[in-house]
Amino acid sequence: MNISKIKKTEILSNDDVGVKRASDIIKAGGLVALPTETVYGLGADATNPKAIDLIYKTKGRPSINPLIIHVFDNNYVFEIADKNKLAEDLSSKFWPGPLTLILNKKNNSKLKIAKNALADLSTIAVRVPAHPVFRNLLKKCNLPIACPSANFSGKLTTTRFEDVLSSFSGRIDAIIDGGPCPIGVESTIIKIKNQKISILRPGKITEEGLKACNYSLQKKENNKDIIAPGQLTSHYRPNTPLRLNVKKPKKNELLLSFGPLPKGTTGISLSEVFDLNEAAMNLYSSLADLDELALINSNDAIAINTIPNSGIGIAINDRLKRACS
Ligand code: TXA
Ligand code: MG
């Protein structure tokens, strides 16, 4: 990492006192890790280019990979991004919630989002989060907050306070302890083009769900020019190799099972009752635990059962594939 462990990291409670302190730190240009309903994020004032620069440095993230701007409500969104009918419609249906929209940046906005937060693009990724702690923070500081997932670039995303602490203690100003994140995979990213929707990153809000609301989706083949910049590279990678679609693990492998862990097998179950939402919630934390175990036991790999490719299972499989690539 190119930033040394030199900071005293404050551990903040998720009540009003902790959130007030987090708000003061963000207003002063600092970095705070915080819980969202999807995954933990690393937040900073989106109007402060120095604070944004710190995000990139701390994560080891290439500066060409823009950040999602989080705001308190839909009115705020359309102060920084251009309105269109589809965007308004989607925002009233799905916000606050696990959705990110890629919109055109508003040119004459009074609120100046730092250029480096958007990697100089003319589009802007925006999200109105639902997590009560994050909402309280957005309200208290009354700023747009740039907030990528709280992990080192390319490594496993974090969904537990403990994992954020072990990665970022000594590197950022504060961490809010908000317990585990309920959804467990990053927000669905949607781009609107010619009044059609394309999903750039699958998440809790699914293609099926969008179709059920009568949205028409652009076909995948035409998506080449609108891939999210950060989706180009391999991602979410543990240190131990992963093997996907495994029925029975090999001798020196750990198992990440979907359904109950078979007797005599070492590993973790994503969901004993075959529940995809529970599996998503446990995905990154289970991988982090197995990765640590594999290091201690010198296991060859983490073997993973087949995850059904429907609903939020599509997002789980997307992340697992990238973790292997
Ligand atoms: O659930 C989430 O979205 C979490 C929480 C913390 O809100 N955030 C998150 O941020 O996942 P991050 O930075 O890890 O992923 C953001 C993705 C990246 O792949 C980035 O390339 C893409 O959004 N992105 C940002 N701005 C974009 C833009 N203008 N056009 C296309 N993709 C964009
Ligand atoms: Mg990320």
Side-chain angles (χ1 to χ4, degrees), residues 36 38-42 59 61 65-68 70 100 102 118 121 123-125 127 134 147-151 185-187 189 191 200-201 226-231 235:
T36 89
T38 55
V39 302
Y40 268 83
L42 203 55
K59 275 184 65 93
R61 177 170 174 128
N65 189 3
L67 310 176
I68 299 175
H70 297 68
T100 295
I102 310 293
L118 311 182
L121 296 177
T123 54
I124 180 168
R127 174 158 114 80
F134 199 1
C147 190
S149 52
N151 54 276
V185 290
E186 297 87 343
S187 62
I189 302 183
K191 177 141 185 164
L200 303 193
R201 179 176 72 182
I226 44 170
I227 285 171
Q231 303 284 296
H235 247 75

Side-chain angles (χ1 to χ4, degrees), residues 108-293:
N108 51 359
S109 168
K110 272 178 264 155
L111 255 170
K112 298 283 174 234
I113 304 292
K115 273 190 177 173
N116 53 347
L118 311 182
D120 272 330
L121 296 177
S122 60
T123 54
I124 180 168
V126 272
R127 174 158 114 80
V128 178
H131 197 289
V133 175
F134 199 1
R135 296 194 63 68
N136 192 9
L137 176 62
L138 285 163
K139 193 162 196 183
K140 281 202 164 58
C141 68
N142 193 30
L143 282 168
I145 294 184
C147 190
S149 52
N151 54 276
F152 296 122
S153 194
K155 295 291 180 185
L156 276 180
T157 304
T158 53
T159 54
R160 282 185 306 206
F161 166 73
E162 303 85 290
D163 296 332
V164 182
L165 187 71
S166 74
S167 295
F168 291 107
S169 174
R171 301 179 196 270
I172 60 177
D173 298 288
I175 305 172
I176 303 178
D177 182 355
C181 302
I183 294 177
V185 290
E186 297 87 343
S187 62
T188 305
I189 302 183
I190 285 181
K191 177 141 185 164
I192 300 168
K193 205 179 173 188
N194 305 329
Q195 286 305 298
K196 281 200 171 165
I197 288 173
S198 5
I199 296 180
L200 303 193
R201 179 176 72 182
K204 168 87 179 165
I205 293 167
T206 60
E207 187 173 328
E208 296 154 79
L210 290 162
K211 281 187 178 154
C213 296
N214 288 322
Y215 290 108
S216 35
L217 272 86
Q218 210 175 319
K219 282 206 194 83
K220 288 251 157 54
E221 303 83 88
N222 307 330
N223 273 0
K224 278 194 198 112
D225 57 334
I226 44 170
I227 285 171
Q231 303 284 296
L232 293 171
T233 45
S234 81
H235 247 75
Y236 320 107
R237 192 181 268 181
N239 299 306
T240 317
L242 303 183
R243 208 157 67 80
L244 304 185
N245 294 313
V246 174
K247 285 212 172 79
K248 206 169 168 242
K250 290 181 190 162
K251 213 171 163 208
N252 195 30
E253 287 180 338
L254 298 171
L255 179 67
L256 184 60
S257 73
F258 184 65
L261 199 67
K263 272 216 177 91
T265 314
T266 311
I268 296 178
S269 169
L270 284 173
S271 168
E272 295 193 343
V273 295
F274 300 94
D275 178 338
L276 282 171
N277 286 315
E278 187 183 21
M281 190 179 84
N282 291 329
L283 178 68
Y284 288 121
S285 55
S286 304
L287 284 171
D289 286 345
L290 289 179
D291 203 19
E292 205 176 309
L293 193 63

